[in-house]
Each structure stands twice: as C-alpha cells, then as structure tokens.
C-alpha cells in the first residue's frame, strides 16, 4: 500500500501544469452595477497612481482606447470646492465631466476638512473618514480619455485610476459617462424649481446628489419643498413621460419631514448628512442622493430634471449616460460663487436651453371657458376672466402649469391647485396641410384649433401619448389646450407634452408671438 501511494504521488508531481492561453479565458460577465454597457469580454487591468502638488491645471491621466475607467480614488490636502475635475472622452472639446472635485464624489457644502466630512457608502460613490473619495461608475471610451484637475490656488492631490484596456478589441458601446454640477443661492422661492439636469438623448439616467443649506427658518419655508423631483422625459418623442415626487425627503427614501432624521447611507438612496444649524432646530443643512440602478430611467430624445425648492442655497451633481456630447446648460462660476454663503442667482451662469417653443398660460378656472377674442385677435395684455396671461417657454416639449399657477407658498408637501388652465399658442404653416399632433397628459384635456369645434380627448390617470390628424391653414393657426388638475396618482402633476409634425416630418414649434 505504501508503494502504491508513493507511485501515485510521483505521478502527480511529474504531470506538467498546463497554462491556458489568453484566448481561452472565459469572458468577463457584466454585473448589476455595469449599467448594461456593451463592453468587450477580455479586459486587461491597468492603473494610474499619481501624487501631484500643483497650481493651475494638471493632467492626471491620458488613456489610450478602447477602454473603460472602472474606479477613480482621490484624496489630498487643501482640496475644496475651488478645485474642478474635468474628464474628456474621445477627443471631445467639451468635458463629459465638469464639477468641483469633492462635489463629483457626492461631498457637498465644501465639507472637505479631513475628519469633518460625512461618509457615503454606495456601490457607485464612496466617501470615507479623512477624505478618501471613490467613484465606481464605469466610463467607457473608444479612442481615449483624459483626466484633469484645475486648482487655481494650489493643492496636493493623490489619485488612482483603475481602468480596463481592450487591446485588439472593438468597443461597440456608444454611451459615454456624463456629470455636471450646478448651484443657485437663493433659489427663487416656490417658483419654477431648481434646475438639476438637461440632456439630449438617447441616454440613461444614473442619479444625482442634492444639497440644501436652509437660509430661512423651516417654520417660514420648508427645507426644500416646492415639490420634489420632477423628471421630464422625451417631451418631443413618441412616448413622453413625467415622474413627480411627493415630498423632498421622499426622493431619498426618507419620510415624515426628516427634521429629526438620523444621517445614514444606503445602497441606492439616502441622506448621509443632516444637521441642525441652530439650537432651536429651525434651519437644517442636508445632503441626499438617489441612484436609478433598480428602476432604470431611459430617454431617447431628452431628459430634464428639476427639484421643487424654496429660497435656500441649493447645489447638485447629476450623473447620466448619453450618446451625444454634453450640451452645457450651466457655466462654471468663479471661485467665490462656488463657495457656500455666497449669492448666485438664476440666470447668472445658466446657459440657454434648446428652443422648443413658447406658450401663453392662464388659470386656474372652475370650468372650461371660450377663449375671448376681440376683432379676431388674441391680446396677452388683457386678462382672461380676471386671470393674467403668463408667457413660458416649453421645457423640452413640456408645458408646465405648476410653475406659473401655484398656490400661495406654504409648508405643505408639493402643494398644487385644482381646476382648469389654458395654454395658447400659434402654429405657422407654410401651406395648407394635414399635420399630426401628439399630446401626452394626465387628467382631462380638451383641444381647440382655430374656429373648429373643440375636441375632448378625455381623462387619463398618468401621462400617456395620443396622436391625431388636424387641418392647418396656410399662415397662422391658433391653438388652445385646456387641462384639468387634481391631486391624483401623479401628485398634482399639471403639465402636458406637445409636438406638431408637418407631412414632411418637420417639427412645427409653438410660438407665443
């Protein structure tokens, strides 16, 4: 028996080990955090590790594609909201990522002193004690990527970039990672909401980090409540959609006001930072995040996000994927107006949004009334049943009544009015034609074109699209859209999406003038 065991041992030792060739390795399967990106199966792991003490602009990595950034880790000394992170993909001149360095990682309010920062623990962003910041969101590129930090006053930055190289392979994925930061202080109280994101499709929303520093007592104005998240999807597409929250804290999975909320950090949504600014607990400072990993938000034409707000200091970082390059909607302000406790008003650094037409709005009314004409002319200076006309631009194809027909500001969650409202515009036709109107709405909608009989399109519980053919006269056509509003399953959403298409496929934009 001993001889037999010895022979078996000699046989095992003498058997040569076979090393499999690289082509025989199994493909790397995507995980639940890969955001359904179409990446090559055989990556080669690479890493950049760099410490740099610098002032001005410093490039931390120039990567040759095809590849995909998998992880970015940063720490350092003297890091603050003064420092800007920019990432460029595939030779683009407009950065795909542009945000203050800490804010990109979800560390808002310039809380960057090591040991004083709050912590984040998600599959996508991580912030540790003593300012260890990590991003795990995959960032594919076909030709190359460049990572740059701008520090106007100087800082010491440690950075590691872990990425996958795909030598002799082809990257089929068309989506590129995007991120943008925006700040406004104070936001116009209970007006047309804080603008968080505007993007062209096709693409996919990743999520956002949202920060509020209350400038007024919560007894005077609720922490961020002029509503919650308002997500406008594909307003000029075939199937528009609108997602509306209930209260601001509910967006992040919290509840019941959050005034005594214990800061926590969960996988996909939470509020990792929440403090009382004074002994009375009248004013709070907070941060919430939301990632759409399990409830994906896709868009084909456009994505626009606003957050209902009161007159506080508000900032956000938004993350998404898109095929088209970033169309900047906010210009990075100078250092002073990036920092807390400084004023930065709507419009100072905001860039024009795409022209999607404009309308005149009036209401609310208890019932549908005939639009009054005098000598066949519409007069926006003349009140309609004691309601003034208000001109508003379309939001990527959406007409939003809640921005102009709001009740008196209060501490109620997402307050809204009941009743009917009317939107009026002109459609210019180069010749007599049969055009296609696509409307998407919830509640009850009635359409009236020129002197034709009105068309009652009925009620819907949530926004869905419907198309109909209409006859347009050569020249100016006058269009009315009446929409009712009730606080139903969409929490008082009071908007509709509109698109007019000529027989040749040209979009006819609605005009208020």
């Amino acid at each position: 028996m001993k001889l037999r065991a010895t022979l078996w041992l000699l046989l095992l030792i003498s058997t040569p080990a076979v090393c499999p060739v690289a082509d025989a390795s199994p493909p790397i399967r995507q995980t639940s955090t890969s955001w359904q990106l179409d990446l090559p199966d055989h990556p080669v792991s690479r890493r950049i590790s760099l410490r740099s003490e610098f002032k001005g602009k410093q490039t931390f990595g120039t990567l040759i594609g095809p590849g995909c950034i998998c992880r970015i880790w940063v720490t350092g000394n003297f890091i603050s909201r003064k420092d800007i992170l920019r990432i460029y993909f595939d030779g683009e001149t407009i950065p795909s990522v542009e945000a203050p360095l800490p804010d990109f990682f979800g560390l808002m309010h310039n809380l960057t002193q090591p040991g004083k920062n709050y912590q984040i623990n998600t599959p996508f962003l991580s912030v540790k004690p003593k300012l260890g910041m990590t991003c795990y969101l995959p960032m594919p590129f076909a030709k190359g990527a460049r990572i740059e930090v701008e520090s106007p006053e100087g800082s010491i930055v440690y950075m590691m970039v872990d990425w996958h190289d795909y030598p002799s392979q082809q990257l089929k994925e068309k989506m590129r990672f995007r991120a943008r930061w925006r700040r406004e202080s104070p936001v116009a109280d209970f007006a047309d909401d804080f603008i968080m994101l505007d993007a062209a499709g096709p693409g996919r929303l990743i999520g956002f980090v949202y920060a509020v520093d209350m400038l007024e007592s919560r007894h005077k104005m609720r922490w961020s409540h002029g509503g919650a998240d308002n997500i406008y999807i594909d307003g000029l597409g075939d199937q528009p959609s609108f997602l509306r929250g209930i209260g601001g804290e509910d967006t992040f999975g919290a509840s019941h006001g959050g005034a005594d909320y214990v800061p926590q950090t969960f996988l996909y949504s939470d509020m990792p930072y929440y403090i009382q600014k004074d002994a009375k607990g009248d004013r709070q400072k907070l941060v919430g995040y939301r990632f759409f990993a399990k409830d994906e938000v896709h868009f084909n034409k456009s994505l626009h996000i606003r957050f209902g707000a009161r007159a506080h200091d508000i900032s956000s970082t938004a993350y998404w994927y898109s095929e088209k390059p970033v169309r900047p909607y906010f210009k990075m302000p100078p250092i002073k107006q990036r920092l807390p406790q400084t004023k930065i008003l709507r419009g100072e650094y905001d860039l024009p949004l795409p022209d999607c037409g404009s309308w005149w709005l009036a209401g609310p009314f208890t019932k549908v009334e005939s639009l009054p004409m005098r000598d066949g002319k519409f007069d926006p200076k003349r009140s309609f049943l004691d309601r003034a006309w208000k001109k508003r631009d379309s939001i990527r194809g959406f007409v939003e009544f809640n921005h102009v027909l709001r009740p008196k500001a209060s501490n109620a969650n997402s307050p809204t009015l009941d009743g009917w409202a009317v939107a009026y515009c002109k459609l210019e036709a180069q010749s007599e034609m049969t055009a296609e109107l696509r409307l998407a709405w919830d509640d009850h909608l009635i359409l009236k074109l020129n002197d034709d009989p009105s068309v009652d399109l009925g009620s819907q519980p949530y926004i869905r699209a419907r198309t109909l053919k209409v006859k347009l006269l050569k020249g100016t056509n006058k269009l009315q859209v009446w929409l009712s509003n009730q606080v139903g399953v969409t929490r008082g959403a009071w908007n509709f999406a509109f698109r007019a298409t000529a027989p040749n496929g040209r979009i006819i934009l609605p005009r208020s003038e």
Side-chain angles (χ1 to χ4, degrees):
M1 292 296 293
K2 292 183 178 180
L3 178 61
R4 181 177 298 177
T6 302
L7 290 174
W8 274 110
L9 180 60
L10 290 173
L11 179 62
L12 289 172
I13 294 174
S14 61
T15 302
V18 179
C19 296
V21 297
D23 292 340
S25 62
I28 304 299
R29 299 303 177 189
Q30 297 182 23
T31 67
S32 61
T33 58
S34 64
W35 300 93
Q36 299 184 8
L37 298 174
D38 186 6
L39 303 177
D41 289 332
H42 301 284
V44 176
S45 294
R46 311 282 190 196
R47 172 178 288 177
I48 290 174
S49 301
L50 185 64
R51 175 196 182 276
S52 181
E53 182 174 353
F54 66 100
K55 182 177 180 180
K57 294 182 179 180
Q58 173 70 33
T59 296
F60 277 82
T62 300
L63 315 181
I64 299 175
C68 180
I69 296 172
C70 304
R71 173 182 179 266
I72 302 177
W73 169 88
V74 168
T75 193
N77 303 101
F78 315 113
I79 292 176
S80 74
R81 190 176 265 181
K82 298 177 182 179
D83 306 319
I84 303 298
L85 172 68
R86 296 183 179 92
I87 303 178
Y88 299 81
F89 297 122
D90 300 331
E92 293 176 351
T93 57
I94 297 174
S96 283
V97 172
E98 185 175 56
L101 183 60
D103 296 68
F104 173 78
F105 293 94
L107 191 55
M108 316 296 277
H109 296 307
N110 205 35
L111 297 171
T112 58
Q113 290 298 317
K116 296 183 179 181
N117 61 271
Y118 57 89
Q119 299 177 48
I120 298 176
N121 185 23
T122 78
F124 318 109
L125 297 177
S126 173
V127 178
K128 301 297 184 182
K130 297 187 179 180
L131 207 64
M133 303 178 291
T134 307
C135 175
Y136 296 98
L137 293 164
M139 309 177 193
F141 53 92
K143 298 179 181 178
R146 184 168 65 85
I147 303 169
E148 173 189 282
V149 176
E150 181 180 5
S151 182
E153 297 182 359
S155 61
I156 300 173
V157 175
Y158 298 78
M159 181 181 293
M160 280 193 294
V161 180
D162 290 288
W163 63 289
H164 283 167
D165 188 6
Y166 305 116
S168 303
Q169 300 176 74
Q170 183 178 2
L171 181 73
K172 299 179 181 179
E173 179 57 62
K174 296 180 180 180
M175 298 282 185
R176 296 294 178 266
F177 176 80
R178 320 291 186 186
R180 276 296 186 279
W181 176 85
R182 185 178 179 276
R183 176 176 179 256
E184 189 176 339
S185 177
V187 178
D189 185 31
F190 202 58
D192 56 353
D193 300 335
F194 175 83
I195 297 174
M196 186 180 296
L197 170 61
D198 185 86
R204 187 158 57 249
L205 175 63
I206 296 174
F208 51 79
V209 183
Y210 186 74
V212 179
D213 185 357
M214 289 185 61
L215 304 179
E216 297 284 353
S217 164
R218 67 185 177 91
H219 299 293
K220 182 177 180 180
M221 54 180 62
R222 202 174 181 91
W223 65 271
S224 69
H225 286 194
D229 52 331
N230 292 266
I231 304 177
Y232 303 84
I233 304 169
D234 291 340
L236 292 176
D238 294 332
Q239 294 294 335
S241 183
F242 174 69
L243 311 180
R244 177 175 169 83
I246 298 176
E249 74 277 19
D250 306 332
T251 298
F252 311 109
S255 59
H256 296 290
D260 56 354
Y261 192 74
V262 177
Q264 302 172 63
T265 175
F266 184 68
L267 294 175
Y268 307 115
S269 63
D270 218 323
M271 296 170 66
Y273 181 74
Y274 200 111
I275 66 165
Q276 305 293 338
K277 293 175 61 178
D278 51 44
K280 294 181 180 180
D282 282 347
R283 296 181 300 156
Q284 289 96 38
K285 183 188 289 188
L286 55 97
V287 177
Y289 60 80
R290 174 80 155 87
F291 292 101
F292 296 81
K294 297 298 183 180
D295 50 343
E296 297 175 0
V297 174
H298 297 255
F299 57 99
N300 293 311
K301 293 291 186 180
S302 64
L303 178 70
H304 187 93
I305 304 179
R306 300 194 184 197
F307 208 105
R310 305 301 299 269
H312 303 310
D313 183 343
I314 300 179
S315 58
S316 68
T317 306
Y319 314 88
W320 73 102
Y321 291 106
S322 67
E323 292 186 14
K324 293 183 179 179
V326 172
R327 185 185 190 278
Y329 53 91
F330 183 69
K331 182 180 178 181
M332 187 62 65
I335 289 177
K336 180 181 178 180
Q337 289 175 288
R338 296 203 291 269
L339 299 179
Q341 301 178 352
T342 61
K343 182 179 290 187
I344 176 171
L345 300 179
R346 171 73 60 88
E348 285 189 86
Y349 296 95
D350 293 294
L351 302 173
L353 297 175
D355 180 11
C356 296
S358 58
W359 298 70
W360 289 104
L361 311 180
F365 309 106
T366 57
K367 59 182 180 179
V368 180
E369 302 285 350
S370 299
L371 187 66
M373 296 286 185
R374 183 176 296 170
D375 301 326
K377 295 182 180 180
F378 167 76
D379 185 1
K381 297 181 180 180
R382 185 180 61 192
S383 296
F384 177 25
L385 301 177
D386 297 326
R387 301 293 183 181
W389 290 101
K390 299 180 181 180
K391 182 181 175 182
R392 283 296 185 274
D393 291 336
S394 170
I395 302 175
R396 290 285 194 169
F398 280 88
V399 180
E400 180 61 80
F401 288 111
N402 267 328
H403 287 171
V404 296
L405 305 180
R406 282 186 156 161
K408 184 179 179 180
S410 70
N411 278 352
N413 279 352
S414 307
T416 185
L417 294 171
D418 292 328
W420 287 86
V422 61
Y424 172 86
C425 75
K426 297 177 181 179
L427 299 176
E428 297 291 338
Q430 297 178 349
S431 61
E432 185 175 323
M433 66 177 67
T434 298
E436 180 183 86
L437 299 188
R438 195 275 296 122
L439 291 113
W441 74 97
D442 77 323
D443 250 43
H444 192 174
L445 187 140
I446 297 174
L447 181 73
K448 182 174 175 58
L449 178 64
N450 295 323
D451 295 325
D452 298 340
S454 60
V455 179
D456 191 331
L457 295 179
S459 298
Q460 303 185 136
Y462 52 88
I463 283 186
R464 300 195 71 176
R466 179 176 171 183
T467 60
L468 63 155
K469 302 289 186 179
V470 298
K471 294 287 187 179
L472 294 185
L473 305 175
K474 181 180 180 180
T476 301
N477 294 265
K478 303 165 186 176
L479 180 73
Q480 305 171 46
V481 177
W482 288 87
L483 183 65
S484 67
N485 184 52
Q486 297 179 10
V487 180
V489 297
T490 52
R491 192 61 186 180
W494 202 357
N495 58 50
F496 65 92
F498 175 85
R499 183 186 68 193
T501 308
N504 62 2
R506 182 179 66 89
I507 300 296
I508 305 172
L509 291 180
R511 295 298 182 191
S512 55
E513 303 299 337

